[in-house]
Amino acid sequence: MGLSVTLDVFSGRPNPKWQLSAVQTREFLGRMERLDQESTSKPPGARGTLGYRGFVVSGSAGKRVGSVELFVHGALVDRGPRALAVYDSKRGLEDWLLRSGQGEIGGVLTKHVREQLAKPVKQLVGLLPRAAGACPVCQAKDAPAYAPGPWNTPANQPKNNCYNYANNQMTGTFAQPGRATGKPITGLSCGGVQPSAVSDGLAVAPGFNAPRAKGQGWYVALVIWPGSDYHWYRQDSGGCWSHKPGSTPVRNVDNSGKAITDPRTCNRGPYTVFCSYMVTHSKVRIR
Amino acid sequence: MNAVRITLDALSGLENPVWDLDGAEADELRVRIKGLAACAGPPVPPPDLGYRGFVCELAGARVRVFRGLVERGPRDYAADPGRELELWLLGTAGARLSAGLYAVVRSDLAKN
């Protein structure tokens, strides 16, 4: 496990580059996981300017996270072409990265970067709202918390889909309803998918307002893109819903960028058919 | 020359459609990507659900093509005027796409 940091700042000379120790790498990853506000914007340094343009952090971040290439600038962390950026409102990560390079960076350069970090960041567009405020009360004691960090790592994100996420199980198999229990889906319709999920152990529910005690699972919802695909949502302990569209990152907003208070009524793009709410639990088998 | 793998990024529960380009098609894709003029990013973020673009895997590099912009690397963007590269990539899919999926992508490509 080892990450290298490049300070992207020079034009003629090679940029300063240094290695994080194992302890520093763990601290960096911990700081990354605590950033929970996502953004559809890219760091402004992507445009390329003269002077401080950000930090590139790359290398192996261990078995759980896998290899990473992150671009940190302007209070945003770009996690790659298929991932949302995350917002670091106080630019603490940039400040920490600058401090990690002391010894590699001279005083003049440190002063230049510090001055840039002290400047206010221009208004960010594309900041996604945290799901809060209008969320319904979650009635299921087993409902998982919204914690996208481990799902959105290079090692886990591509191999787990909406069905994995709704059931809160990272199998790394792009799980399919019914595959674990010998009842594969028979068509891309409610009647073609729902019986396979029932075979895995899920149960149809009329809504998501009935209290469910500890051990009785949490609410999920099945929707269909007729003839093309299916998709799942799950209700988190905070009351709002979240989802993982295929191999893309976990998120808690709909296609309009709004918090999801009810998957029946949110913007679902081409997944126009709402099948039903269902209940899943930790003993459901998926593969 | 090595084959180029194309992924149509659009699905959630099912695996995305994937196909390989060989020979002349792979060569043409490389020429098309190389010939695009660089432009300032960043790209339009794709929606959560539905068509999210094409991903081309060429010799270790991943190139994303979506809404008239080609992301060749973390900070390397190029313009795809008229979304011609996307249209061409859709044409290489042949019969691998369902009629519903093809229609949704085609409808998105009609937005210029």
Side-chain angles (χ1 to χ4, degrees):
Chain A
M1 183 163 87
L3 294 177
S4 67
V5 181
T6 303
L7 170 59
D8 189 9
V9 64
F10 287 145
S11 174
R13 294 170 57 198
N15 285 316
K17 187 173 181 177
W18 61 96
Q19 202 72 24
L20 296 183
S21 68
V23 172
Q24 286 176 313
T25 296
R26 277 194 292 277
E27 181 174 351
F28 174 79
L29 295 173
R31 284 172 175 266
M32 273 293 299
E33 286 199 1
R34 287 194 290 277
L35 300 177
D36 64 353
Q37 188 166 20
E38 294 175 321
S39 170
T40 56
S41 298
K42 290 271 183 185
R47 292 186 185 280
T49 51
L50 292 175
Y52 172 60
R53 294 180 292 269
F55 295 90
V56 177
V57 182
S58 59
S60 168
K63 205 173 174 182
R64 188 170 68 90
V65 178
S67 64
V68 298
E69 179 161 345
L70 306 167
F71 175 45
V72 189
H73 182 248
L76 287 169
V77 183
D78 183 357
R79 299 183 291 188
R82 302 185 74 203
L84 292 166
V86 283
Y87 178 49
D88 178 22
S89 62
K90 293 178 179 166
R91 306 186 78 171
L93 205 55
E94 286 169 270
D95 183 63
W96 185 87
L97 286 167
L98 179 64
R99 281 187 282 119
S100 77
Q102 294 307 309
E104 302 291 330
I105 311 170
V108 174
L109 197 49
T110 301
K111 183 168 176 282
H112 165 71
V113 178
R114 283 216 182 287
E115 283 169 359
Q116 302 308 306
L117 294 184
K119 288 180 182 172
V121 176
K122 284 184 185 167
Q123 190 180 358
L124 290 165
V125 290
L127 211 55
L128 299 175
R130 287 190 179 95
C135 295
V137 174
C138 178
Q139 302 286 0
K141 298 288 183 212
D142 289 343
Y146 180 66
W151 291 90
N152 295 348
T153 64
N156 296 326
Q157 187 185 307
K159 298 175 189 166
N160 293 285
N161 65 359
C162 55
Y163 194 53
N164 286 107
Y165 183 70
N167 288 292
N168 204 28
Q169 291 186 37
M170 282 188 211
T171 61
T173 59
F174 221 76
Q176 297 297 307
R179 188 155 65 188
T181 51
K183 191 175 172 57
I185 62 173
T186 55
L188 294 164
S189 61
C190 296
V193 178
Q194 199 176 67
S196 301
V198 170
S199 170
D200 287 346
L202 285 82
V204 176
F208 57 95
N209 292 322
R212 304 198 75 80
K214 207 153 182 58
Q216 293 184 340
W218 62 93
Y219 291 105
V220 296
L222 170 63
V223 300
I224 297 286
W225 176 352
S228 290
D229 196 20
Y230 62 86
H231 183 59
W232 293 86
Y233 295 85
R234 83 176 194 200
Q235 189 186 27
D236 297 313
S237 55
C240 276
W241 295 68
S242 58
H243 60 142
K244 184 176 188 302
S247 56
T248 75
V250 165
R251 64 204 69 197
N252 58 0
V253 292
D254 70 4
N255 261 30
S256 301
K258 292 181 177 158
I260 305 167
T261 56
D262 185 345
R264 184 192 285 273
T265 55
C266 73
N267 182 342
R268 303 191 302 266
Y271 296 77
T272 52
V273 175
F274 182 87
C275 296
S276 69
Y277 304 102
M278 297 184 82
V279 172
T280 187
H281 54 85
S282 57
K283 292 190 175 62
V284 157
R285 286 175 58 204
I286 65 169
R287 184 162 61 89
Chain B
M1 283 289 201
N2 296 328
V4 176
R5 175 148 292 188
I6 309 295
T7 301
L8 170 58
D9 187 13
L11 302 184
S12 176
L14 297 179
E15 298 266 13
N16 285 318
V18 173
W19 63 97
D20 290 333
L21 302 184
D22 293 312
E25 279 188 326
D27 291 343
E28 182 173 349
L29 178 62
R30 289 188 190 93
V31 169
R32 281 175 176 264
I33 290 174
K34 202 173 170 185
L36 296 173
C39 70
V44 176
D48 297 350
L49 295 176
Y51 172 60
R52 295 183 288 264
F54 293 91
V55 177
C56 313
E57 292 171 63
L58 317 94
R62 289 170 68 90
V63 175
R64 185 177 194 84
V65 186
F66 182 63
R67 295 262 168 98
L69 207 134
V70 181
E71 192 169 5
R72 299 187 286 204
R75 283 177 290 165
D76 180 8
Y77 306 110
D80 174 25
R83 304 182 71 176
E84 283 185 16
L85 183 55
E86 275 174 284
L87 280 164
W88 183 83
L89 286 166
L90 180 63
T92 65
R96 294 173 185 90
L97 311 183
S98 69
L101 182 53
Y102 182 87
V104 164
V105 178
R106 199 71 189 74
S107 157
D108 190 279
L109 291 180
K111 300 172 192 165
N112 265 311

